[in-house]
Amino acid sequence: MFYEAKDNKHGLPHDPFKAIVSPRPIGWIGSRGADGSNNLAPYSFFNAISDHPKMVMFSSSGRKDSLRNIEETRVFTTSMVGRSLTEKMNLSSADAPYGESEFEFAGLAMAEARMINAPFVAEAHAALECKVTEIFEAKSLEGEASGSFVVIGQVVGIHIDDAALADGRLDMAAVAPLARLGYMDYADAANTFEMRRPAWPAKK
């Protein structure tokens, strides 16, 4: 089948776009407003975009509390969502009134970042402390505003739970990082395999 994305006439009961662009890591974004209130929210439009320097991005569909806080403070954290934290991650996605703490609602312990003024999930196997480099609203080919706000942060601090390390590496089987698929589907990466990049054959 084929359909033009602009018209979105796919004839299916549910839009397949997010299922095609999957799996997507979940950015569990921690932020603190200028008023001191704490916020925690999962974003599936999230990924790493650079290694030198280390940078991550997430996109907010609409102006949500995380975006408001980050615009005020220019910092945020992202906590790694392992399989054991799935249900609490889902609880933190509730549409809470501004100023209410999703940490408390989800029954999560809150840890303080060391280099920025923002909280992260104490139970997470890993967390990143980030300072904002850019915030912008994505635009269409026609130059129209999309309503999706992209936040790019440079990682300035990294937390890793020692118990999640094995042989000097983050143990993916133990951590089982959660990923968002399409629809209401999720997957974890407990079953992993290793594959090396091949060398291009030399010309004879």
Side-chain angles (χ1 to χ4, degrees), residues 106-120:
L108 289 161
M110 190 175 68
E112 288 294 327
R114 297 189 186 186
M115 300 180 67
I116 61 173
N117 182 19
F120 66 93

Side-chain angles (χ1 to χ4, degrees), residues 126-190:
L128 308 176
E129 301 185 12
C130 306
K131 292 186 177 181
V132 170
T133 62
E134 295 179 71
I135 300 176
F136 58 90
E137 186 175 8
K139 293 181 173 58
S140 70
L141 288 169
E142 295 76 23
E144 297 173 351
S146 68
S148 292
F149 297 86
V150 179
V151 178
I152 298 177
Q154 183 169 327
V155 179
V156 296
I158 299 176
H159 300 260
I160 301 175
D161 177 8
D162 291 342
L165 296 172
D167 299 322
R169 299 170 63 171
L170 200 60
D171 187 350
M172 291 294 104
V175 173
L178 198 68
R180 185 69 189 269
L181 306 177
Y183 320 114
M184 294 295 106
D185 299 332
Y186 293 81
D188 68 53

Side-chain angles (χ1 to χ4, degrees), residues 169 192-198:
R169 299 170 63 171
T192 65
F193 63 93
E194 190 170 287
M195 185 164 54
R196 302 283 182 176
R197 181 183 298 177

Side-chain angles (χ1 to χ4, degrees), residues 28-183:
W28 211 1
I29 306 300
S31 63
R32 176 170 289 139
D35 63 355
S37 62
N38 299 305
N39 184 269
L40 179 68
Y43 288 84
S44 67
F45 288 142
F46 166 80
N47 221 316
I49 60 170
S50 172
D51 190 33
H52 303 288
K54 293 172 172 54
M55 302 177 81
V56 295
M57 64 74 62
F58 77 94
S59 177
S60 173
S61 298
R63 301 194 63 87
K64 297 180 180 176
D65 295 346
S66 298
L67 179 64
R68 171 179 170 175
N69 287 349
I70 294 166
E71 284 179 328
E72 290 175 352
T73 64
R74 308 294 292 185
V75 296
F76 65 93
T77 67
T78 177
S79 298
M80 190 175 195
V81 184
R83 182 66 181 86
S84 62
L85 293 172
T86 299
E87 287 71 26
K88 292 187 176 185
M89 178 279 297
N90 193 43
L91 282 172
S92 73
S93 70
D95 189 14
Y98 183 78
E100 296 293 328
S101 173
E102 291 82 1
F103 286 93
E104 293 180 12
F105 180 71
L108 289 161
M110 190 175 68
E112 288 294 327
R114 297 189 186 186
M115 300 180 67
I116 61 173
N117 182 19
F120 66 93
V121 176
E123 298 93 329
H125 291 296
L128 308 176
E129 301 185 12
C130 306
K131 292 186 177 181
V132 170
T133 62
E134 295 179 71
I135 300 176
F136 58 90
E137 186 175 8
K139 293 181 173 58
S140 70
L141 288 169
E142 295 76 23
E144 297 173 351
S146 68
S148 292
F149 297 86
V150 179
V151 178
I152 298 177
Q154 183 169 327
V155 179
V156 296
I158 299 176
H159 300 260
I160 301 175
D161 177 8
D162 291 342
L165 296 172
D167 299 322
R169 299 170 63 171
L170 200 60
D171 187 350
M172 291 294 104
V175 173
L178 198 68
R180 185 69 189 269
L181 306 177
Y183 320 114

